[in-house]
Every structure is written in structure tokens, then in C-alpha cells.
Amino acid sequence: MTALADRLSLRRTASLTRWNMVLLSRNRLALFYAAVMPLLPLALLLTGERGSASVGAGAIVTMFLVIALFPVYYNVLAQFVSRRDELVLKRMRTGETRDTELLASVALPGALIALVLSAVALPISVALGQSLPVNPLLYMALAVLAVIMFSAFAYWTAAWTKNAEAAQLTSMPIIILASLGPLTNSIPEMADRLRDVLSLTPGAALSDLVRIGWFGLDGPGAEQATLTFAETWGQAAGPLVVMAAWTYVAVVLARRSMRWEPRA
Amino acid sequence: MNNNQRSNSAVRVRGLRRTYGQGASAYEAVRGVDLDVPVGSITALLGTNGAGKTSILEVIEGLAPATAGEVGVLGLDPVADRAVLRRRTGILLQRSGFSGDLTVRETLRMWSATLTSPRSVDDMLALLSLEDRADVRMLALSGGETRRVDLACTLMGSPELVILDEPTTGLDPESRREVWQLVSGLRDGGATVLITTHYLEEAETLADRLEIMHAGRIVRSGTPTEIAVGHPSKISFANVPDVPDDLAEIRRVVHEHGRTTLETDRLQTSLSALLAWAAHNDVALDDLDARSPSLETVFLSIADGRDPADSAPREPLTDDEGALR
């Protein structure tokens, strides 16, 4: 903890996060994408049979994907790159602010939005006929891991993104990588070898964890909740390892290639 | 540099080199620089654009690594001791940015919250004459106003060492003078200031010590007076082709761009001789100008790549803009 305290002052990080939140709230379009967009997939709960676990899983998986990509990944990427372009980051680094605090404070507004949305999804889903998560702890762990993983992806992408405009292009590989994953669960007749490969993607791990942790679904084709609280842990181990591995890779890549100033 | 100076230096640089790029495209922006900034002084790094001033500052500020050499700031290492140093230094970058959607007051409040012992936001608004603009968003400010906010951030932590990279570039003459007053005030309050500029007037007005840079090296150091020593005085007038070159103490005569320029180490003696010659031969010396060596003549000759105090010029002197003004 002292090592962390050397690198990060909570007071400073909290204050900077608050100002980044103010800035986000003054950018209406960015705020809409970050805070409203992710809730739209919940409209899927109005389709199909009320209370169906497979319909519920489809809606929540999509919501989580949008949470990971909009308030976290794209938002963090765009904020960081535009502040770097504008030399705001360089200016901040001439003051007492540490690098870790800068990184945390740029990521935290998106992270907080993501966690709030993950929580807000619970009452909305219940109101629309879904049951509460089988394993709420797993659901929370998923939300936190997704935030860390996609923030790290954002910083890694920022390293080779020239400016805020270029982010529209440079974000594509991660967006595609994340979006492919859930197909493993939505296309039951997929070839096993392809499914095995795809299930190692971050999006697949995220999708699996929603299905297991919230809906107790056992395997890709499952439509009825069969897993108990205890059983969900065992099933979740695989996708948790996948997410942890991707997070580790993203953090290492981001640390190695971090840039604080626009390229000359 | 002796030991006494060493202990009295707020910034001490030895053999600093900084290279950009690698291999064939490598460019050495700083080519072996020694620099001492005495505690309590205003020291100016003076040089043309591209001389390497900012490249040196970035290393002193801990923002960029040196390719070679040693740098000590307040006796500490600018990279390893960055966290400690940041509390004691105030830095103004040549170009820096702020979030356009925050107001001036919000920007200063945000900065203030990052400091260990900040002066109050209202104090800073008053010090930089920004009270009227406090609730205006940053993106609506003029360049000069943004620079004043930038300076407010630099000074908010009451730094003992202030590093200013071209603080007045882009400012109107009035704001420039205000900044000069502010900088002099910092020294009077006991702070040490390292400033870069390409304005001679600024360096001459503000600095106790000058370090003149050219092409990655410091080529002259000292007070403005010390630096001018050894450079010739100049007498010039509208071209007179047959002026003799053996008048008293005249070093050389140059006819160029419609003017004749005489260089001398003894201005009064040479000028008297010239005037006597002119009177005797009934020659009119139109637009006559005589001046002692100034920082400007030294700087311009260095910038032109010819420095008479260094060695005899290898090519004929070009017209000296400094003497024409």
C-alpha cells in the first residue's frame, strides 16, 4: 500500500476525477454516448417471452459490451488522446500531479459511469421480468474487471493513436475483437474449433461471465438457469482467467508504449 | 566552475547532450552544455529559435532524459526526485494547454487542488490581473490571457525555482512589461529564475546572467556588460567609398548595403579622427551613427555564425542590423 501511496494521492486523484467528470458533463454528445447508450440494449428485454433467461442474457451481454466500449474504452481513449493533443497532459505533468493520478483520473469518470450502469441494470431488468443474478459477487467482479481491462486497452490504443480523430480508426481492432466474442453464445451451430478460438477473446469471456454469473446458464446453447451459486464459481474460472490474461497483456503493452505528448 | 559556485547553484548542468532520433536521421539538439543558475538570480538562456533552449529545459524539468551529461536541480535528480522537486519548482512550458470547457477560476481551482501548499485562487487572479476574466471559459481567452493563467499555475505553489520557457512570446508590449515586473518580483522575493527568450530587450532588462546559445552550445556567458566586452564599437554612415582605413584605432572598414561601417576598440579616438578627416576633406557623413558594443551586436554576430570575439571572421562582415536600428 505504501508503494501505491508513493505513486498516487487519493485527494489529488479524487479532485482531478471530479473535474474530468465536470468536463465530460459539459460535452453533451460524449455524455450521451457514455451514460445513455449502454442502457438502450435493455429494450431487448421487452421482446420475446417475458422473463426468458436467454432473452435476458442477450440484453445484458449487449449492455455490458456497450458499457465496456463506450463509457470505458472509447471515452477513455478519446479523453486521453485529446488532452494529450491539447498539451493538457504535458502541462499537468509539470506540476505535482503524478502520472498514475493522471491515468486514474481520466479513466475514473468512465469507470464510475460503467459501475453505476451495471447497478442500474438490476432494478430495470427485474421490473421487466428477469430474476436477480444467481451470483451477484461474480456479476460485480465482472463489472470491475471489464472496467480495468478496457481502460488498459484504451491506454494501449492511445499509444499509437495520433489524435482524437484518428481514434475513430485505431479503436476498431479492439471494438471488433470485443464484439466477436458474444457470437460464441448467440450462434449455437458454430464449429467447435472456431468457438474454442473465439472464446479466448475478451468479448467472449465477458459474455460467458454474464450468462454464468447472472443467469446460471451452463454452456453456449443453454436457455434455462441450471447452475447454482456454488457451481457458477467453477464455470466462471475459465473466462475469469481469460479476462485476467487480456488485462495483464493490455497493462504491459500500455506501460511500455505510454506517450504523454503529441508526436512531433 | 569552482566548488563555491556549485553549492550556490539552483541548477547545475555538466556536459549535457540531447539527441533526437537514431542512426542517419539523428539530430543533436544539445551538444555538450555546462550551465549554472546561481541561487537568487535571474538567468536567461538567450538564443534564436532552434538553438536548443527548450531541449535543455525539458531535461532540467525532468520531462525528457538526457542523452549524456549530468543535471542537478536544487541538488536533486530531475527524474528520480521528480515528486519532491515538483513541490519546489514552478514550470512554464513554451506551449501548453488547458481544457477549453473550464473557466479561468475552475482551471485555477483544479490546479490548486493538486498542490501541497497553494496560494489562494483569488490571490492568483489578482496577481495576474485576471479577476475580470475569472468566469470566462478558457477557450474564449486571448493568447495573452491564456498565458497569464498558465503563469498563475506556475507560481501558485510559491516555488523557490521558477523555470520559464519564453514566457512573453506572443504577448503584447504592455503584458510583456507586466510579466517582467512579475519576474523581477520573484527574484526580489528570494526565488531563482531560469528563463529562455529570444528577445534581447527582455534578456537585457531582466537577467543578472546571460547564457547565449547557438546551435546546441552555450557560446557566451556572463552579465550583459561582460558579454559585450571584446566586441568592437561601430561607426557607420551613408556610403563614402574613399574613407581611409588607417584612421586612428580603426580595425576594419566595410562598405556594404549603401553604408560604410568602421570598427574600432576606441570609439572616441576613432570618431574624433574620422570627424577631423571629414572636416578637412569637406566630406559629409550623412546619417552618422556611432555606438558602443551592445548585447545586440554580440547576439547578432553569434546568430550569424560569426563571432569576432571568438576568432577573426573568415568571411567579410555583412551589414550589421543591430547598428542600424
Side-chain angles (χ1 to χ4, degrees):
Chain A
M1 274 324 275
T2 44
L4 184 64
D6 277 349
R7 277 193 266 168
L8 188 139
S9 131
L10 285 181
R11 179 184 64 84
R12 215 156 30 219
T13 310
S15 163
L16 288 173
T17 302
R18 190 176 82 80
W19 287 111
N20 283 333
M21 208 68 167
V22 168
L23 282 168
L24 183 60
S25 72
R26 285 182 188 169
N27 183 343
R28 291 295 149 84
L29 191 64
L31 185 64
F32 174 82
Y33 272 107
V36 181
M37 270 299 256
L39 290 175
L40 299 183
L42 292 181
L44 290 172
L45 293 173
L46 297 168
T47 65
E49 188 190 333
R50 186 177 160 89
S52 148
S54 58
V55 168
I60 301 297
V61 165
T62 311
M63 178 197 76
F64 248 101
L65 199 63
V66 182
I67 286 180
L69 291 178
F70 284 89
V72 183
Y73 178 66
Y74 198 82
N75 175 49
V76 172
L77 171 63
Q79 304 291 335
F80 187 80
V81 170
S82 65
R83 284 193 190 25
R84 183 176 64 194
D85 268 7
E86 293 161 355
L87 297 173
V88 173
L89 297 180
K90 186 173 184 182
R91 185 63 176 108
M92 295 302 297
R93 292 182 82 233
T94 64
E96 290 189 38
T97 308
R98 319 266 173 93
D99 294 351
T100 330
E101 295 161 357
L102 274 180
L103 293 175
S105 66
V106 169
L108 276 172
L112 293 174
I113 291 175
L115 296 178
V116 167
L117 292 178
S118 312
V120 164
L122 292 169
I124 296 180
S125 304
V126 170
L128 294 177
Q130 295 294 327
S131 52
L132 283 167
V134 173
N135 186 342
L137 290 175
L138 202 51
Y139 181 72
M140 276 167 57
L142 161 66
V144 171
L145 259 180
V147 162
I148 297 172
M149 178 169 75
F150 280 92
S151 300
F153 277 143
Y155 286 127
W156 169 64
T157 311
W160 44 277
T161 300
K162 209 170 165 218
N163 52 42
E165 253 168 53
Q168 294 174 13
L169 266 182
T170 58
S171 58
M172 289 317 284
I174 292 293
I175 291 180
I176 290 169
L177 186 69
S179 307
L180 282 178
L183 297 179
T184 54
N185 288 313
S186 53
I187 305 177
E189 51 284 339
M190 182 182 286
D192 283 349
R193 282 187 63 182
L194 181 58
R195 189 191 306 280
D196 287 348
V197 172
L198 281 185
S199 66
L200 295 177
T201 63
L206 189 145
S207 166
D208 289 346
L209 285 172
V210 170
R211 290 170 61 87
I212 296 164
W214 186 322
F215 297 98
L217 295 170
D218 186 6
E223 294 194 357
Q224 298 291 321
T226 53
L227 298 172
T228 64
F229 177 85
E231 285 166 341
T232 54
W233 287 115
Q235 292 282 321
L240 280 174
V241 168
V242 170
M243 278 187 93
W246 277 105
T247 305
Y248 176 78
V249 169
V251 168
V252 169
L253 288 173
R255 283 179 67 119
R256 270 200 353 205
S257 47
M258 205 70 217
R259 272 195 309 119
W260 296 98
E261 291 178 43
R263 218 165 277 170
Chain B
M1 299 295 150
N2 58 37
N3 287 329
N4 187 31
Q5 256 173 316
R6 178 185 298 192
S7 56
N8 287 327
S9 293
V11 177
R12 183 173 184 276
V13 174
R14 287 295 174 276
L16 177 66
R17 292 180 178 275
R18 203 174 158 200
T19 307
Y20 295 91
Q22 287 181 331
S25 64
Y27 170 70
E28 193 170 38
V30 181
R31 307 172 177 201
V33 161
D34 294 347
L35 171 69
D36 283 278
V37 178
V39 168
S41 75
I42 297 177
T43 297
L45 266 180
L46 181 65
T48 48
N49 290 328
K53 306 187 295 290
T54 300
S55 294
I56 292 182
L57 286 200
E58 284 183 344
V59 176
I60 294 173
E61 290 159 353
L63 291 175
T67 309
E70 286 170 41
V71 177
V73 179
L74 301 173
L76 299 167
D77 182 287
V79 176
D81 304 316
R82 183 174 136 192
V84 183
L85 275 175
R86 286 290 189 263
R87 248 173 265 158
R88 300 169 59 188
T89 50
I91 294 170
L92 183 81
L93 296 169
Q94 190 177 125
R95 284 174 57 233
S96 65
F98 294 95
S99 295
D101 282 338
L102 293 183
T103 67
V104 171
R105 189 188 301 279
E106 287 170 337
T107 301
L108 295 182
R109 277 173 58 202
M110 180 192 74
W111 190 267
S112 161
T114 67
L115 300 177
T116 307
S117 47
R119 296 169 66 178
S120 83
V121 168
D122 287 332
D123 277 4
M124 298 318 293
L125 287 171
L127 186 66
L128 277 302
S129 321
L130 284 164
E131 294 109 317
D132 296 346
R133 307 295 279 163
D135 298 311
V136 177
R137 290 203 179 179
M138 292 297 294
L139 52 80
L141 296 186
S142 71
E145 288 166 343
T146 308
R147 202 58 172 156
R148 297 216 295 270
V149 176
D150 211 351
L151 264 169
C153 294
T154 303
L155 303 179
M156 197 184 274
S158 310
E160 58 192 279
L161 171 65
V162 183
I163 301 173
L164 307 170
D165 197 355
E166 299 197 0
T168 63
T169 300
L171 294 190
D172 58 63
E174 198 193 334
S175 314
R176 181 168 298 157
R177 268 160 218 291
E178 283 175 19
V179 170
W180 290 355
Q181 278 190 351
L182 202 68
V183 174
S184 303
L186 293 174
R187 175 190 47 198
D188 299 343
T192 305
V193 182
L194 173 58
I195 183 172
T196 72
T197 181
H198 53 236
Y199 294 118
L200 291 155
E201 193 193 357
E202 183 160 299
E204 228 163 0
T205 311
L206 275 180
D208 305 310
R209 278 189 66 79
L210 291 171
E211 304 281 345
I212 301 184
M213 284 202 73
H214 181 63
R217 291 190 178 86
I218 289 179
V219 290
R220 276 286 176 293
S221 305
T223 64
T225 318
E226 283 168 6
I227 281 178
V229 166
H231 280 254
S233 302
K234 293 190 178 183
I235 306 166
S236 72
F237 39 84
N239 203 17
V240 176
D242 54 353
V243 67
D245 55 9
D246 56 353
L247 288 169
E249 305 289 344
I250 299 286
R251 272 181 17 184
R252 25 192 262 125
V253 179
V254 179
H255 302 281
E256 225 169 35
H257 303 301
R259 287 186 77 77
T260 300
T261 303
L262 313 181
E263 292 182 8
T264 173
D265 292 328
R266 292 170 177 268
L267 183 57
Q268 191 181 346
T269 311
S270 298
L271 186 59
S272 303
L274 173 72
L275 293 175
W277 172 83
H280 188 260
N281 295 286
D282 204 15
V283 173
L285 300 174
D286 291 330
D287 201 10
L288 178 64
D289 180 284
R291 58 183 59 204
S292 302
S294 69
L295 182 59
E296 190 167 16
T297 53
V298 180
F299 182 68
L300 285 169
S301 63
I302 290 170
D304 285 354
R306 56 187 169 76
D307 184 358
D310 232 8
S311 58
R314 270 152 277 160
E315 49 196 297
L317 277 179
T318 50
D319 187 33
D320 192 24
E321 299 153 56
L324 287 174
R325 221 167 279 159

